[in-house]
């Protein structure tokens, strides 16, 4: 019995001793931490716009659990960087443990909102310091910050944002969006700084928005440009000498500059040319990653072009690259790439002339039900005459079998012509047999058309629609029409044996 009581007493002493000791004993940090990166480079940001979140992994290579006395930003609370250390947000931290041969994560963000910003761009840096004295280790942080012209709707007294009307929807309801009318001093965009637009920047009746060559315009989510009835806009880009830098191109894209956003569709709204606007002009524009690239509404008075667009490319729109409703458009050397629904949609009739245009819907972000080119003269209970839609020396291609969709109500006129074009239309099921709209032997509709041939584009994933040496489009364009557009989208001469499409093949492609 005494022996039993002795064992019980001993066990109790062990339990009491165990309950009094610290749960963990940490060895001191000896300054030999290891890091997943020597320097953390955060991608380019605009002033006042937060960055993405970046990760730094910190390793403890020792066989002992250690405690780091301090982790913090060298500039302390004044730093424009923000940290999150193992789930705790802040800029300075103390007594951070890491178990033996384990790691912790540090998440890093930044927003640069200094009102005294004086340069167009500069490198903003700071350092994450681990411990101090002889055990000090540092990981630099580097961010390129760009200044920009910010345009945005006013905040009203009740805390809501200023709105503008974009017309009436099909249910008779007014379409109200956050937006504002550009002042006279904001109607000339230049190339000195990028522009960042929040909401819809609207051009009022009687005014014209002019955009200088080399200008960069970035749009926040659900933002865009609205050209009102009686207003207009001119995009005045010119040919760039460097096709990677595109120094003279006007570029419309989203306001997130990180690489993971470079090919993400649907980042912003649209450029909306409203009914009653005419004389709009676009030259050397690259428009990408919108929901609808260009939405052009005509008013049925088609004597003067609603839009003339030349030497421009629109691609990677979540819905449609160029959507026209009963308007008058002239297009030359235009590239309309991948889109989530239709690359070029000519709806509710109108009047159109496209020469040396490449319509190539190689959508790679999932399923799409639309075609590269859709033409119709009716929609949602409305109808109008398709006076004429001419396609001369054009390519209609994509990664679906049927890249041409023609929809007539058989009441309104529906006039079109494809002349010396390359078209993909693989009707393997025969569902369009006997449909006169797809009678490719009818030369009044299809003159010298090449069906289902190899376009040999350089890289459709990267939206590079230059034709290669194996392309059937080589030397097959109609010279008479090529002479009216003697230079291709890159300024290459096409007056001898011209190629179909916006690009003329060269061995430098």
């Amino acid at each position: 019995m005494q022996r039993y009581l002795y064992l019980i007493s001993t066990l109790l002493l062990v339990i009491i001793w165990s309950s009094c000791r610290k749960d963990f004993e940490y060895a001191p940090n000896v300054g030999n931490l290891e890091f997943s990166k020597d320097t953390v480079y955060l991608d380019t940001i605009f002033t006042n716009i937060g960055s993405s979140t970046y990760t730094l992994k910190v390793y403890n290579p020792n066989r002992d659990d250690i405690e780091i006395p301090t982790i913090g930003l060298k500039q302390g609370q004044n730093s424009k960087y923000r940290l999150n250390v193992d789930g705790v947000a802040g800029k300075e931290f103390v007594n951070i443990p890491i178990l033996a041969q384990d790691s912790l994560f540090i998440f890093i963000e930044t927003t640069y909102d200094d009102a005294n910003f004086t340069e167009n761009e500069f490198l903003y840096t700071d350092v994450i310091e681990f411990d101090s004295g002889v055990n000090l280790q540092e990981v630099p942080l580097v961010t390129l910050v760009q200044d920009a012209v910010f345009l945005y709707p006013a905040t009203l007294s009740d805390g809501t944002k200023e709105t503008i009307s974009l017309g009436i929807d099909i249910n008779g309801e007014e379409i109200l969006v956050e937006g504002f009318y550009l002042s006279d001093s904001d109607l000339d965009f230049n190339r000195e700084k990028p522009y960042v637009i929040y909401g819809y920047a609207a051009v009022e009746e009687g005014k014209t928005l002019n955009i200088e060559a080399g200008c960069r315009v970035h749009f926040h989510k659900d933002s865009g440009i609205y050209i009102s009835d009686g207003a207009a806009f001119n995009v005045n880009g010119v040919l760039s000498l460097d096709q990677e830098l595109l120094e003279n191109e006007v570029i419309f894209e989203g306001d997130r500059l990180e690489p993971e956003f470079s090919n993400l569709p649907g980042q912003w709204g649209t450029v909306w040319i409203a009914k009653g606007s005419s004389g709009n002009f676009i030259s050397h524009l690259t428009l990408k990653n919108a929901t609808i690239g260009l939405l052009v509404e005509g008013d049925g008075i088609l004597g003067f072009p609603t839009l003339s667009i030349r030497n421009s490319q629109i691609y990677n729109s979540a819905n449609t690259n160029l959507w026209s409703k009963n308007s008058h458009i002239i297009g030359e050397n235009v590239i309309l790439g991948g889109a989530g629904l239709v690359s070029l949609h000519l709806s509710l009739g109108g009047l159109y002339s496209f020469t040396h245009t490449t319509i190539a819907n190689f959508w790679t972000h999932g399923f799409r039900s639309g075609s590269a080119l859709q033409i119709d003269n009716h929609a949602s209970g409305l109808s109008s005459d398709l006076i004429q839609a001419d396609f001369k020396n054009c390519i209609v291609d994509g990664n679906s079998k049927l890249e041409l969709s023609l929809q007539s109500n058989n009441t309104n006129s529906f006039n079109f012509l494809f002349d010396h074009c390359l078209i993909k239309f693989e009707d393997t099921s025969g569902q369009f047999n006997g449909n006169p709209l797809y009678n490719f032997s009818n030369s009044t509709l299809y003159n010298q058309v090449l069906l289902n041939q190899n376009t040999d584009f350089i890289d459709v994933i990267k939206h590079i629609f230059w034709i290669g040496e194996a392309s059937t489009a080589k030397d097959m364009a109609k010279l008479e029409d090529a002479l009216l557009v003697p230079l291709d989208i890159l300024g290459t001469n096409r007056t001898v044996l011209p190629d179909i499409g916006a690009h003329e093949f060269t061995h430098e492609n």
Side-chain angles (χ1 to χ4, degrees):
M1 183 67 179
Q2 287 181 340
R3 184 177 179 184
Y4 177 75
L5 290 173
Y6 174 77
L7 290 173
I8 293 294
S9 300
T10 302
L11 182 59
L12 288 171
L13 286 171
V14 169
I15 293 172
I16 293 169
W17 177 83
S18 299
S19 66
C20 292
R21 70 178 291 272
K22 293 183 179 179
D23 289 334
F24 296 99
E25 294 289 344
Y26 294 108
N29 176 44
V30 293
N32 67 338
L33 299 170
E34 297 176 359
F35 306 102
S36 59
K37 301 170 185 175
D38 294 330
T39 302
V40 179
Y41 294 96
L42 286 75
D43 290 296
T44 303
I45 62 169
F46 289 118
T47 54
N48 302 308
I49 296 179
S51 71
S52 292
T53 302
Y54 296 78
T55 304
L56 175 69
K57 197 173 185 180
V58 183
Y59 300 91
N60 171 17
N62 304 295
R63 294 183 177 274
D64 296 319
D65 302 339
I66 66 170
E67 189 172 71
I68 308 170
T70 58
I71 297 177
L73 293 160
K74 190 170 186 176
Q75 296 179 28
Q77 296 300 320
N78 294 323
S79 178
K80 304 296 184 183
Y81 290 99
R82 302 180 297 277
L83 305 180
N84 187 300
V85 177
D86 255 7
V88 179
K91 298 187 179 183
E92 297 170 311
F93 307 84
V94 296
N95 301 328
I96 302 94
I98 311 182
L99 299 181
Q101 297 182 338
D102 203 350
S103 60
L104 64 81
F105 285 93
I106 297 179
F107 300 99
I108 306 154
E109 297 176 345
T110 187
T111 303
Y112 194 92
D113 55 0
D114 192 337
N116 297 317
F117 193 95
T118 58
E119 302 175 66
N120 284 351
E121 66 178 36
F122 80 108
L123 285 177
Y124 178 64
T125 63
D126 201 346
V127 172
I128 304 178
E129 296 182 325
F130 298 83
D131 211 332
S132 59
V134 295
N135 294 326
L136 174 66
Q137 291 179 270
E138 297 181 330
V139 175
L141 307 176
V142 180
T143 307
L144 179 64
V145 181
Q146 284 191 358
D147 195 13
V149 177
F150 290 86
L151 301 171
Y152 48 86
T155 300
L156 305 180
S157 58
D158 61 359
T160 62
K161 296 290 186 182
E162 177 184 6
T163 61
I164 60 172
S165 173
L166 301 185
I168 306 297
D169 65 17
I170 59 174
N171 298 318
E173 300 290 332
E174 188 175 22
I175 304 171
L176 290 175
V177 298
E178 289 187 2
F180 58 97
Y181 283 93
L182 292 165
S183 66
D184 287 353
S185 61
D186 289 327
L187 289 173
D188 293 291
F189 287 15
N190 59 53
R191 64 193 300 165
E192 293 179 8
K193 295 180 182 180
Y195 289 76
V196 181
I197 295 176
Y198 286 75
Y200 274 81
V203 183
E204 64 181 332
E205 182 180 359
K207 307 290 185 181
T208 299
L209 172 62
N210 293 294
I211 301 179
E212 182 182 71
C215 183
R216 299 324 192 221
V217 184
H218 300 264
F219 299 89
H220 195 62
K221 188 178 186 302
D222 299 325
S223 299
I225 290 175
Y226 182 73
I227 311 300
S228 305
D229 179 2
F233 90 129
N234 297 319
V235 176
N236 301 307
V238 295
L239 181 65
S240 297
L241 298 178
D242 188 329
Q243 285 303 308
E244 291 188 4
L245 183 61
L246 293 175
E247 73 280 5
N248 294 320
E249 190 91 349
V250 175
I251 299 179
F252 288 0
E253 60 182 324
D255 65 350
R256 299 303 299 267
L257 305 182
E258 300 92 330
E260 59 266 32
F261 288 89
S262 64
N263 195 42
L264 183 66
Q267 293 181 48
W268 57 283
T270 185
V271 175
W272 189 331
I273 299 176
K275 185 182 298 185
S277 171
S278 64
N280 298 284
F281 173 78
I282 294 175
S283 175
H284 288 282
L285 168 69
T286 293
L287 189 160
K288 57 185 177 179
N289 301 333
T291 300
I292 297 173
L294 290 177
L295 175 57
V296 185
E297 292 186 306
D299 57 6
I301 304 173
L302 305 175
F304 193 75
T306 314
L307 171 67
S308 297
I309 178 169
R310 297 179 173 88
N311 303 307
S312 297
Q313 53 183 344
I314 306 173
Y315 58 84
N316 212 38
S317 300
N319 188 293
T320 304
N321 288 322
L322 173 51
W323 185 3
S324 169
K325 298 180 179 181
N326 192 24
S327 72
H328 182 180
I329 296 178
I330 297 173
E332 297 173 353
N333 285 337
V334 179
I335 297 174
L336 300 167
L341 186 61
V342 178
S343 191
L344 173 60
H345 187 182
L346 307 180
S347 181
L348 289 171
L351 178 60
Y352 306 98
S353 174
F354 287 92
T355 307
H356 282 289
T357 291
T358 296
I359 309 161
N361 197 350
F362 288 86
W363 179 248
T364 59
H365 299 282
F367 172 79
R368 67 174 167 95
S369 59
S371 55
L373 171 60
Q374 178 176 327
I375 307 174
D376 61 62
N377 61 4
H378 63 102
S380 302
L382 303 175
S383 62
S384 189
D385 292 331
L386 178 65
I387 296 174
Q388 189 68 40
D390 286 335
F391 295 85
K392 303 172 182 177
N393 297 344
C394 294
I395 293 175
V396 180
D397 197 10
N399 51 7
S400 293
K401 288 183 176 295
L402 303 174
E403 293 295 1
L404 175 63
S405 175
L406 304 171
Q407 301 175 20
S408 172
N409 61 4
N410 297 318
T411 301
N412 294 88
S413 60
F414 196 81
N415 302 308
F416 65 91
L417 170 65
F418 290 91
D419 191 0
H420 286 74
C421 293
L422 190 156
I423 300 173
K424 183 175 182 180
F425 193 83
E426 298 179 1
D427 185 18
T428 53
S429 67
Q431 71 178 103
F432 294 98
N433 288 347
N435 188 326
L437 296 179
Y438 300 97
N439 182 2
F440 294 102
S441 62
N442 182 350
S443 61
T444 62
L445 301 179
Y446 301 96
N447 181 44
Q448 299 293 315
V449 164
L450 301 169
L451 277 179
N452 306 320
Q453 299 296 310
N454 179 23
T455 48
D456 191 28
F457 291 126
I458 297 298
D459 194 334
V460 298
I461 303 299
K462 295 181 179 178
H463 315 289
I464 302 175
F465 295 103
W466 306 353
I467 61 171
E469 191 164 11
S471 177
T472 308
K474 276 183 59 185
D475 303 338
M476 298 303 291
K478 185 177 181 179
L479 180 60
E480 179 183 351
D481 292 319
L483 292 175
L484 299 176
V485 190
L487 302 179
D488 79 349
I489 192 171
L490 297 181
T492 302
N493 189 292
R494 60 157 63 101
T495 57
V496 178
L497 295 175
D499 302 336
I500 296 173
H503 280 286
E504 188 75 6
F505 172 77
T506 70
H507 289 283
E508 297 176 359
N509 283 1

